[in-house]
Amino acid sequence: MTETDLIPAPLTAHRPGGTLPLGAATALDAGPGTEGTAHWLRSVLGAATGLPLPDGTGPGAIRLRISPETAKEHGPEGYRLSVTGDGVLLDGGGPAGLFWGAQTLRQLLGPDAHRRAPVRPGAAWELPYLTVADRPRFGWRGLLLDVARHFTAKDDVLRLIDLMAAHKLNVLHLHLTDDQGWRIEIRRHPRLTEVGAWRARTKRGHRASPLWDDTPHGGFYTQDDIREIVAHAAARHISVVPEIDLPGHAQAAIAAYPWLGNTDVVDTSALTVWDTWGVNPNVLAPTEEVLRFYEGVLEEVLELFPGTFVHIGGDECPKEQWKASPAAQARIAELGVGDEDGLQSWFIRHFDRWLTARGRRLIGWDEILEGGLADGAAVSSWRGYAGGIAAAEAGHDVVMCPEQHVYLDHRQHGGDDEPVPIGFVRTLEDVYRFEPVPPGLSEAAARHVLGTQANVWTEVMENRDRVDYQVFPRLAAFAEVAWSALPAPGERDTAGFLRRMETHYRRLDALGVAYRPPAGPAPWQRRPGLLGRPIDGPPPIV
């Protein structure tokens, strides 16, 4: 083990040689404000190593501190770690920084420290002498999980949060609603889950595929499930950002409550939860009743998610129904918004004001730029860099998540060894060369780049192992891009990163992650049935 095996790479690290043995007498000395990390160390490292880590001080102890000096130099998410013959000193700039330092400490103990129980009872544990100073480059280091297209069970969401924490990611963006399913309990509108959470069948593979899975699919999170997810994330210093998509991607809601749609041009009573992929023409009607309905939805959402940001989608909203609808055209004239783009902007601006009045901030996909950007809104820039550049130059905060670089549902290899090869080819090395701040952005505008996010859309990911395969190992590269102070893409030490990944693959093995291997057969070829489809199943749909 050397300091260069750490992922993401720290700001500075020095290893002088020598090791500190740990044993049953190794004490945990937790200073004020460090209780959360102390609990995590005992529960996670204690389980993996079998060491009790009792309260105590003295030589060889692991000392946890919140340090104003570290906060001043490295910020609240920064930390300093020192391992010497006297013991371990972990200083956090704040509780979050202390926790990220504990993740580094875990990596230093070796891959077996990532297991849930000791695999070599009685084995010796040791830490290399080391000094580390570290802080993140970006405050928003995110991962989007689409639970609408394929539902992800609560326990699998909790597991993904743990994997995010292991990579020092701090924002989970949950895509909770779409045409294919509504995944969050709203008590005042029970049909959203009674009807909207279930579809009769599912397109298998890409939307051009002729294949169908006729098994009904669905599921949703109760409000207590959401509280558990949010609390589990908060204990790991991860914020959960909910997404309630509007005014497009709304067929599941319209299937539950047909009056939400444009009833003067579509028989919305005949709509069901959508069973295929793509851009859906059925969008919300621009009425006051629809606004009140979604305000009621968001009132319950705000009770469950305490974070600053609420994502309202705003993407891929076809305007054909509004163009054909006499009611929508009358609404455009009444509001004086000019055209259908202005009508979409009216939707967004309404909820921007509504959320702002409640101390929250709206964030949406870069289509919310169409018709004029809502005051105070932040932008998730997914259609390349252009939307993010325009928003940042106009003084709006931006999260960079361009499809061409960080959509992890896209293929990882150009050959035929992908289960369903869709989208751009983006290898592990490609993701490592991604740069969240586009060249040419002014210094003032660059300050509006909150950070970056990798997106996991689940149209072709029907279970946990498929998500694992698509997300890993590329998420490790993305995590380093989001955390570490890397040079420009053309100057990055890709070979060094790949060498460090050799150790990290063993960590992923210990964590039970079904990642795409760096060489050799893919997981579904090694383990029959792993991905929920036979080995000799139909060919991929491109």
Side-chain angles (χ1 to χ4, degrees):
M1 165 68 73
T2 71
E3 69 272 18
T4 57
D5 289 322
L6 296 171
I7 289 179
L11 183 66
T12 65
H14 174 63
R15 182 177 178 181
T19 58
L20 172 71
L22 305 181
T26 298
L28 189 59
D29 177 8
T34 70
E35 296 83 4
T37 295
H39 174 76
W40 182 86
L41 282 169
R42 285 197 176 97
S43 62
V44 174
L45 286 189
T49 63
L51 300 178
L53 299 176
D55 287 326
T57 59
I62 299 173
R63 289 172 289 161
L64 307 179
R65 298 291 186 269
I66 302 296
S67 167
E69 292 79 12
T70 300
K72 183 177 181 180
E73 185 175 359
H74 296 295
E77 287 196 284
Y79 67 91
R80 293 184 295 191
L81 173 64
S82 174
V83 182
T84 68
D86 293 330
V88 177
L89 176 59
L90 176 55
D91 279 338
L98 189 78
F99 182 73
W100 304 133
Q103 296 293 338
T104 297
L105 188 69
R106 185 190 195 187
Q107 288 196 14
L108 292 170
L109 282 168
D112 285 346
H114 294 74
R115 297 187 180 274
R116 296 185 182 181
V119 293
R120 296 172 184 81
W125 291 90
E126 60 183 21
L127 287 166
Y129 289 173
L130 192 73
T131 57
V132 172
D134 202 8
R135 62 176 178 265
R137 180 185 179 192
F138 293 110
W140 186 303
R141 306 180 301 280
L143 178 69
L144 175 144
L145 178 64
D146 168 17
V147 298
R149 274 51 176 268
H150 279 101
F151 179 63
T152 300
K154 179 197 69 177
D155 285 352
D156 290 336
V157 176
L158 299 178
R159 171 182 177 267
L160 185 62
I161 289 169
D162 289 338
L163 292 172
M164 290 176 62
H167 292 82
K168 298 185 173 73
L169 299 176
N170 69 343
V171 178
L172 173 61
H173 174 170
L174 277 182
H175 184 75
L176 290 164
T177 73
D178 213 298
D179 300 304
Q180 297 85 3
W182 185 285
R183 306 296 180 211
I184 179 172
E185 176 189 22
I186 303 298
R187 289 175 176 169
R188 72 188 72 184
H189 301 307
R191 285 177 60 83
L192 287 172
T193 47
E194 291 172 357
V195 174
W198 311 94
R199 60 177 182 262
R201 64 174 188 169
T202 299
K203 174 69 72 171
R204 186 178 181 185
H206 190 273
R207 60 180 174 268
S209 166
L211 306 173
W212 293 90
D213 181 346
D214 289 319
T215 304
H217 179 84
F220 65 94
Y221 308 110
T222 68
Q223 294 201 357
D224 280 347
D225 290 336
I226 293 292
R227 291 185 180 97
E228 182 181 358
I229 289 168
V230 170
H232 188 80
R236 288 147 183 81
H237 300 277
I238 294 172
S239 298
V240 184
V241 174
E243 181 178 351
I244 305 296
D245 218 333
L246 61 90
H249 288 288
Q251 183 160 321
I254 296 169
Y257 294 95
W259 58 267
L260 294 172
N262 295 282
T263 57
D264 57 342
V265 292
V266 177
D267 179 12
T268 55
S269 65
L271 293 178
T272 61
V273 177
W274 211 27
D275 55 14
T276 189
W277 321 124
V279 179
N280 190 301
N282 292 297
V283 301
L284 297 175
T287 67
E288 291 296 321
E289 292 78 13
V290 169
L291 296 184
R292 301 293 88 75
F293 181 94
Y294 273 85
E295 287 171 2
V297 168
L298 289 171
E299 283 177 1
E300 296 192 28
V301 168
L302 296 190
E303 292 176 0
L304 299 170
F305 296 91
T308 300
F309 286 96
V310 175
H311 207 292
I312 51 74
D315 63 314
E316 296 180 329
C317 179
K319 310 297 194 300
E320 285 74 15
Q321 289 185 1
W322 290 347
K323 290 177 181 177
S325 165
Q329 291 301 308
R331 190 68 160 156
I332 289 172
E334 175 191 351
L335 296 169
V337 295
D339 58 14
E340 292 77 22
D341 284 345
L343 196 58
Q344 178 171 346
S345 181
W346 167 78
F347 259 107
I348 304 305
R349 287 178 181 275
H350 174 84
F351 287 104
D352 178 50
R353 291 191 298 269
W354 191 91
L355 289 166
T356 298
R358 287 154 181 81
R360 306 297 183 93
R361 289 189 64 189
L362 179 147
I363 185 169
W365 302 110
D366 54 57
E367 284 94 330
I368 68 173
L369 292 162
E370 297 171 6
L373 187 62
D375 295 337
V379 169
S380 301
S381 186
W382 76 275
R383 295 180 300 177
Y385 288 114
I389 292 171
E393 293 286 5
H396 294 273
D397 289 339
V398 177
V399 175
M400 288 293 186
C401 48
E403 177 183 17
Q404 300 87 339
H405 299 279
V406 289
Y407 270 36
L408 301 186
D409 48 311
H410 288 188
R411 69 185 83 181
Q412 302 175 70
H413 189 266
D416 58 1
D417 58 345
E418 300 283 2
V420 184
I422 64 171
F424 302 98
V425 176
R426 284 298 173 264
T427 65
L428 178 68
E429 295 90 334
D430 290 332
V431 174
Y432 191 67
R433 288 188 289 266
F434 165 59
E435 173 49 49
V437 179
L441 198 64
S442 70
E443 183 177 344
R447 288 195 290 270
H448 286 287
V449 178
L450 299 176
T452 183
Q453 178 172 290
N455 292 343
V456 181
W457 303 103
T458 60
E459 287 94 335
V460 298
M461 298 182 220
E462 68 274 17
N463 56 38
R464 188 183 85 178
D465 287 316
R466 276 298 309 276
V467 172
D468 273 11
Y469 173 80
Q470 292 296 138
V471 171
F472 293 96
R474 291 183 294 181
L475 193 69
F478 173 80
E480 185 149 310
V481 168
W483 176 277
S484 304
L486 297 177
E491 301 170 9
R492 291 179 188 169
D493 183 8
T494 304
F497 170 75
L498 295 177
R499 285 194 299 272
R500 285 183 284 125
M501 279 300 300
E502 293 306 313
T503 298
H504 201 66
Y505 287 122
R506 293 169 55 206
R507 297 183 191 120
L508 296 178
D509 287 334
L511 289 164
V513 177
Y515 58 87
R516 187 188 199 280
W524 67 90
Q525 296 167 326
R526 291 187 282 125
R527 287 191 270 166
L530 175 68
L531 298 180
R533 56 169 286 188
I535 294 178
D536 59 349
I541 304 298
V542 179

